[in-house]
Amino acid sequence: MVSRIAIIGAGWYGCHIGLSLKLLGFDVTIFEQHARPLHEASGNNQFRLHLGFHYPRHHQTRVQSRDGFMRFMERYPYLSREVAENIYAVPSVESLIDFPTYRLIMTSSGIDYREVLAASVPVIEVMGLIQTGERVLLIEQARRYFAGQLAGSLVLGHHVGSIEHEPGCVRVEGMPFDLLVDASWGQQSALPAGFFYEPTILLYYETRGETSGATDQPFPAITLVDGPLCSVYPTEDPSIYTLSSVPHTPLGVATDPARARRVRDSVSSDLVQAKRLAMEAQISRYLPGFRQSFRFVGPQLAIKTKPVGSFDDRSCSVIRRGRVFQVMSGKIDTIFFAMERILSFIEASQTDAVVPLQSPLRQDIIDRGMITHAL
Ligand SMILES: Cc1cc2nc3c(=O)[nH]c(=O)nc-3n(C[C@H](O)[C@H](O)[C@H](O)COP(=O)(O)OP(=O)(O)OC[C@H]3O[C@@H](n4cnc5c(N)ncnc54)[C@H](O)[C@@H]3O)c2cc1C
């Protein structure tokens, strides 16, 4: 029987899976190398609670996001907030798909939106715009929530260096566990085939006072899709936004995590300045008022673990190797999918499979001689 479960990593995945297993009565220990949960990718991203609008080229990612969003709202209602005006716009020239196709894909995926003629700030060179219900994640609230709920199960400031496989258990740092969940987003075990690391840079900006035209409403979230485009998105701090760019956010490709960390940790101020110029130039093509509305604050550096491919697969998968589950997360809304896969593996291992030796089906077929009416 499974009772003791170790988890490596207290990102969104390790925290959610750990809390769910704990509430089900398992004895859970979560090892996190940093002094607080959600310190790496989970605390350094665009903080968008996706609904699927970002992924017109990948069906499974859209469907996982759509369903994950609903479940996130049910389970963690206080860990995200509404974005009053959340616009997706399809550029006339640079998008990989046209606006009618984009709309059709979202409609056929059952993702709700409202078409709008304009945003509250000028957005130019676009074929069409929609208003969506995507939200912003409240990261500090989430840190406090998980730190409180997981008290007694979280081992912070502890880098896991030793994993030993034995017939009856898996030893993590010398302690025996029935199962191990590797929620390090590919930092701990070898990456599955077809994945790579991508060190990234996003830029933080603060608003320059009144930002949205004649009104005092907050600057909208604007995301340009689909392809090598860019977006400006709010954070939990109403005056701070992130600027992200498909061509300029990646800092390279790495096949081992140590190299990805070296690239992330050696970003120079010259590189930040070059990225800033390139990203501001790109967003200003569509949002001509960007520089008047925002002041640069600083970079955000992180590492993504991504599958190879140009159709933008960000779906979540869980791989089982013996007593170890490796979680390959794409985005935050798919935490529920990962948990369900793990639970399903655990349930299967707790039940004996019933395999009938010979089919008794013939005994259930009515004897033709017993039937009195004509067939
Ligand atoms: C630039 C960028 C923008 C993104 N934007 C969004 C977005 O807007 N919306 C969205 O949903 N997703 C977004 N993502 C993806 C999202 O950040 C990830 O899907 C999510 O954070 C992954 O969570 P995780 O728990 O799997 O990994 P992580 O948050 O990376 O957590 C893994 C944890 O494991 C710990 N760890 C690793 N090795 C060890 C060890 N040996 N011992 C102890 N601890 C260890 C790490 O310290 C870390 O805390 C973005 C990602 C990036 C990089």
Side-chain angles (χ1 to χ4, degrees), residues 87-99:
I87 301 288
Y88 273 68
V90 177
S92 330
V93 177
E94 284 183 292
S95 173
L96 296 178
I97 56 175
D98 66 6
F99 185 59

Side-chain angles (χ1 to χ4, degrees), residues 9 13 32-34 42 45-46 48 160 188 304 329-330 332:
Y13 280 78
E32 169 53 53
Q33 63 193 356
H34 295 291
S42 293
N45 60 68
Q46 213 178 17
R48 183 194 301 260
V160 171
Q188 176 67 36
K304 263 185 197 175
S329 51
I332 291 153

Side-chain angles (χ1 to χ4, degrees), residues 45-53 69-70 72-74 76-84 86 88 132-138 221 233-236 333:
N45 60 68
Q46 213 178 17
F47 309 120
R48 183 194 301 260
L49 183 60
H50 283 273
L51 254 166
F53 293 104
F69 182 95
M70 306 303 162
F72 195 97
M73 294 299 292
E74 263 172 30
Y76 299 119
Y78 306 114
L79 301 189
S80 71
R81 77 165 159 73
E82 194 186 19
V83 177
N86 198 332
Y88 273 68
T132 80
E134 285 187 347
R135 296 168 68 89
V136 64
L137 292 156
L138 302 178
Y233 207 77
T235 66
E236 64 184 8
D333 43 79

Side-chain angles (χ1 to χ4, degrees), residues 8-15 31-34 36-50 55 137 158-161 182-185 187-188 198 200-202 233 244 249 261 300 302-305 327-334:
I8 302 176
W12 270 106
Y13 280 78
C15 286
F31 298 95
E32 169 53 53
Q33 63 193 356
H34 295 291
R36 60 177 188 171
L38 314 184
H39 186 80
E40 294 227 340
S42 293
N44 292 286
N45 60 68
Q46 213 178 17
F47 309 120
R48 183 194 301 260
L49 183 60
H50 283 273
Y55 300 99
L137 292 156
H158 191 116
H159 175 89
V160 171
D182 173 1
S184 66
W185 207 17
Q187 306 268 329
Q188 176 67 36
E198 183 180 271
T200 58
I201 183 168
L202 293 191
Y233 207 77
S244 169
T249 284
R261 281 193 292 271
Q300 178 211 81
I303 298 174
K304 263 185 197 175
T305 310
V327 179
M328 296 310 295
S329 51
K331 291 174 298 80
I332 291 153
D333 43 79
T334 41

Side-chain angles (χ1 to χ4, degrees), residues 106-122:
M106 295 307 151
T107 305
S108 64
S109 302
I111 306 175
D112 287 340
Y113 62 86
R114 189 164 56 86
E115 197 169 336
V116 289
L117 293 177
S120 62
V121 295

